[in-house]
Amino acid sequence: MIIILYRIKPSIYQTQLTDFTGLKSIEKYDMSVPKDYRNARKKFRWIPIHPTWGAHTKQTPRTIPKSQKRIQDFIDWEPKLKDIYLYRFPRVKIPCFKDFGMGVISKLEWNMHRYLKGFSGFFENLFEFNDFSFFQDLQGILEEHGVSFKNMFIEDVLAYEMLRINLGFKNYAGIEKMGRFLSFPPLFSITHDSKFFPKAQDISYVMTRIPPEALFEFFQLLVKECINYGIIVPRILIWDGQFIRSNCNNNKKKGQPKYTDSDAGYCRHNGIKKGVGYDPGILYVHCFNRWFPIYFKMFAGNRNDILAFRETMEEFFTHTEYEWQVLIADSGHYSLQNMENMRSKGLLPIIRARKHLKTHPIRELKKGFFFNTEYIPKGWSDDYFLKIYSFRPMIEQGNSYNYTFYNAFRMNTRGMDAARKHRSIIYILELLKALTAYKIGRPKLIMKPSAFESSRHSNFKLMLPYEAQKSGYIYFNSDEVLRRRIKNRYGLMS
């Protein structure tokens, strides 16, 4: 792209063919600087040489005069869906018992989920209705490469780690302390060994040996499953960040060039000192009454917003296989190159601009909200454009659960890999809740972070028949007893 800046007359922005083939480069010339003026005049003979001194009326026209036609002038950048259809989404369908519940839970429990409004499910449902064979395969691969898990299953440890996060415990020791008040492991019905109850060092040992890429890959598999079931509709993206405090001191040790967490950086945002940690670039998908995390890239806390946005989106487009239409972000991530990059990917960038930009065609659509008019589709009113932008706070509401409900403002470990695992597990937990709510026929629980909190076996006395049945005993209300009674009643016994 060639950018020629003037102080009085309209600046020239000429897009090159390479901008649309991934080889984008920007040549910028400030015509008020003699050196830039000479170089531009030698290189581009088509630059007008009419004198610019004297009285001129400042203009910010929508179409820039005296510039060549650009490729985007011949392309319709407006989303395929228009008017209310752009932000109208189908409701999540309600499956039948035979679709997901058959053989997993009883019909009685299914009816409890469907018809008891105050009932919000059991934590065990997250593991009963979803497939965790991914971690069985992962453990087999890692053990073949010499990684030892001390005869513990990744699935079992991960279940307790998600329980820890769901209960809001800040560190691994929280689960171990809770165990002192229990007579039996809380997740005995879903672990491979019903007596397995990990200590803090056990959870730490296993979690440090799970590659962060594996947890992120499982997170992406859950995103794909949500799209397949219609829980997520790939259309509107929202981008933002959220600071994660590292488990280290905010001050460097005397004589040391780095913090005790060498991967982390000191974060200052809008004049607020947040401390040493990480600041991921996060992508949420907006589907009217539901919104979910679908991607993130981890950065140190001292990252640049504009560059973090660019790197996150470049990486995201190498992974996604879906067609997106709109991307929404706040002013911290605005730059002309970021806007052009989104348009080259077929997205409409609705990114708030900064007020002080004099060389961009900026207009205030409402008090304090400035946007580049070059990226407002033809025929869109200001109110409609602002309505689409009004979806941006949904990502802040989604991210707020990480602090308020999961109590995950601060990591209990250090390092970039630990930060990626930390955030991946939270997003895995959120998507597991959404998928389980769908599979049990309770779409109203999809956006409820407090769903699936209680346990089916919270009373240890209820555990005794379960253990007795596993040992081969038949208790009075079991299905086997009922079948025998029916056979005796109708004379079917041999």
Side-chain angles (χ1 to χ4, degrees):
M1 173 177 286
I2 299 171
I3 303 175
I4 300 177
L5 304 176
Y6 294 97
R7 286 187 176 180
I8 298 177
K9 64 180 182 179
S11 299
I12 297 174
Y13 298 86
Q14 182 186 14
T15 308
Q16 306 297 300
L17 185 60
T18 55
D19 298 336
F20 299 88
T21 59
L23 301 174
K24 186 165 184 177
S25 62
I26 297 179
E27 297 183 38
K28 185 182 292 185
Y29 302 91
D30 188 345
M31 302 305 279
S32 62
V33 177
K35 183 179 179 180
D36 286 3
Y37 178 82
R38 290 193 302 271
N39 292 336
R41 286 289 298 123
K42 289 179 181 179
K43 194 169 184 179
F44 310 114
R45 296 297 182 183
W46 45 265
I47 294 178
I49 59 174
H50 298 292
T52 58
W53 56 85
H56 293 271
T57 303
K58 291 186 178 181
Q59 298 178 352
T60 55
R62 182 176 180 81
T63 58
I64 301 175
K66 298 181 181 179
S67 63
Q68 295 183 3
K69 284 285 186 180
R70 298 166 294 176
I71 290 181
Q72 56 258 37
D73 294 333
F74 300 94
I75 302 176
D76 185 10
W77 294 105
E78 194 170 353
K80 293 179 180 179
L81 297 176
K82 300 180 180 180
D83 301 325
I84 61 174
Y85 298 102
L86 181 59
Y87 56 85
R88 176 181 286 181
F89 294 87
R91 294 182 179 180
V92 177
K93 296 179 180 179
I94 300 179
C96 302
F97 173 68
K98 63 180 181 180
D99 294 333
F100 298 103
M102 187 76 72
V104 178
I105 59 175
S106 66
K107 190 65 166 64
L108 176 62
E109 186 173 329
W110 172 271
N111 291 335
M112 289 172 61
H113 284 290
R114 287 284 290 114
Y115 304 114
L116 294 181
K117 294 183 179 179
F119 181 64
S120 58
F122 298 124
F123 186 78
E124 291 87 354
N125 294 148
L126 302 180
F127 302 88
E128 295 166 343
F129 281 88
N130 296 285
D131 184 13
F132 284 82
S133 60
F134 173 88
F135 294 103
Q136 297 176 9
D137 299 336
L138 173 66
Q139 185 162 355
I141 294 172
L142 293 176
E143 287 179 344
E144 287 179 0
H145 287 79
V147 181
S148 172
F149 292 95
K150 294 183 178 179
N151 296 323
M152 292 182 285
F153 288 89
I154 292 179
E155 298 170 75
D156 297 348
V157 174
L158 195 60
Y160 275 100
E161 172 64 359
M162 285 193 279
L163 177 62
R164 176 189 74 83
I165 293 174
N166 200 55
L167 294 175
F169 294 149
K170 291 184 177 181
N171 51 48
Y172 297 142
I175 288 291
E176 184 177 352
K177 292 177 180 178
M178 181 188 70
R180 298 169 187 170
F181 292 88
L182 302 175
S183 57
F184 213 78
L187 301 182
F188 70 91
S189 64
I190 61 174
T191 55
H192 291 79
D193 180 4
S194 60
K195 297 181 180 179
F196 175 73
F197 191 79
K199 296 182 179 180
Q201 57 265 35
D202 295 331
I203 300 178
S204 177
Y205 180 85
V206 173
M207 291 304 300
T208 54
R209 281 155 180 76
I210 301 176
E213 296 81 10
L215 291 172
F216 186 82
E217 183 181 352
F218 187 69
F219 164 48
Q220 293 300 293
L221 291 175
L222 295 180
V223 171
K224 188 174 183 179
E225 188 176 0
C226 287
I227 294 176
N228 293 338
Y229 289 135
I231 302 172
I232 291 177
V233 180
R235 188 185 305 166
I236 299 177
L237 291 169
I238 312 176
W239 197 96
D240 202 2
Q242 186 183 42
F243 176 69
I244 305 172
R245 181 79 164 79
S246 178
N247 188 21
C248 74
N249 199 303
N250 280 337
N251 300 312
K252 300 175 184 178
K253 291 184 178 180
K254 189 174 181 180
Q256 296 294 326
K258 294 183 178 181
Y259 299 100
T260 50
D261 185 349
S262 58
D263 296 336
Y266 197 96
C267 179
R268 296 177 178 84
H269 185 70
N270 293 333
I272 300 174
K273 296 180 179 180
K274 294 191 173 184
V276 177
Y278 300 89
D279 198 352
I282 307 167
L283 277 173
Y284 264 65
V285 59
H286 171 76
C287 306
F288 182 58
N289 62 346
R290 53 193 189 275
W291 44 92
F292 304 97
I294 62 167
Y295 200 84
F296 74 91
K297 181 175 174 61
M298 192 63 64
F299 298 93
N302 57 343
R303 66 168 172 81
N304 178 280
D305 286 349
I306 294 176
L307 296 179
F309 174 89
R310 191 174 305 159
E311 293 179 24
T312 303
M313 296 309 301
E314 288 177 358
E315 189 177 283
F316 170 71
F317 282 116
T318 62
H319 286 78
T320 186
E321 56 187 64
Y322 304 99
E323 185 177 349
W324 304 89
Q325 299 189 45
V326 176
L327 183 135
I328 306 172
D330 61 13
S331 59
H333 321 109
Y334 174 88
S335 75
L336 192 60
Q337 184 173 348
N338 286 345
M339 300 288 279
E340 287 296 330
N341 288 347
M342 292 304 98
R343 286 217 298 193
S344 67
K345 299 294 184 180
L347 273 73
L348 172 65
I350 302 181
I351 303 178
R352 188 173 168 184
R354 300 181 184 88
K355 177 181 178 180
H356 66 274
L357 297 173
K358 302 300 182 182
T359 59
H360 298 189
I362 302 301
R363 185 160 61 88
E364 188 176 18
L365 300 190
K366 73 174 185 178
K367 188 175 181 181
F369 287 76
F370 297 84
F371 294 91
N372 190 327
T373 56
E374 283 288 313
Y375 299 89
I376 301 178
K378 296 178 181 178
W380 279 32
S381 65
D382 292 352
D383 291 338
Y384 183 76
F385 189 83
L386 288 170
K387 180 174 181 60
I388 303 300
Y389 181 77
S390 67
F391 301 146
R392 199 200 71 80
M394 298 299 100
I395 189 173
E396 295 182 350
Q397 182 174 345
N399 280 332
S400 68
Y401 298 149
N402 302 331
Y403 289 174
T404 58
F405 184 78
Y406 297 114
N407 198 19
F409 169 77
R410 185 188 182 109
M411 299 164 52
N412 66 333
T413 50
R414 301 174 185 176
M416 180 70 74
D417 287 349
R420 293 179 63 189
K421 296 177 188 178
H422 172 86
R423 188 46 58 99
S424 293
I425 293 176
I426 292 178
Y427 289 160
I428 287 171
L429 185 58
E430 290 186 7
L431 293 184
L432 284 175
K433 289 182 179 181
L435 284 167
T436 307
Y438 163 75
K439 293 176 181 179
I440 63 175
R442 283 290 299 280
K444 289 186 178 179
L445 297 180
I446 288 178
M447 290 303 300
K448 187 177 180 181
S450 59
F452 308 104
E453 273 191 312
S454 61
S455 172
R456 185 186 292 114
H457 308 285
S458 56
N459 187 340
F460 79 96
K461 293 181 180 179
L462 298 177
M463 175 270 298
L464 299 178
Y466 175 87
E467 287 295 302
Q469 187 181 24
K470 285 181 60 178
S471 301
Y473 291 94
I474 301 175
Y475 53 91
F476 68 94
N477 63 343
S478 66
D479 293 338
E480 180 64 26
V481 171
L482 292 176
R483 282 195 292 270
R484 290 187 178 184
R485 287 178 179 175
I486 292 173
K487 288 181 179 179
N488 287 329
R489 182 175 182 179
Y490 293 100
L492 300 178
M493 296 294 290
S494 56

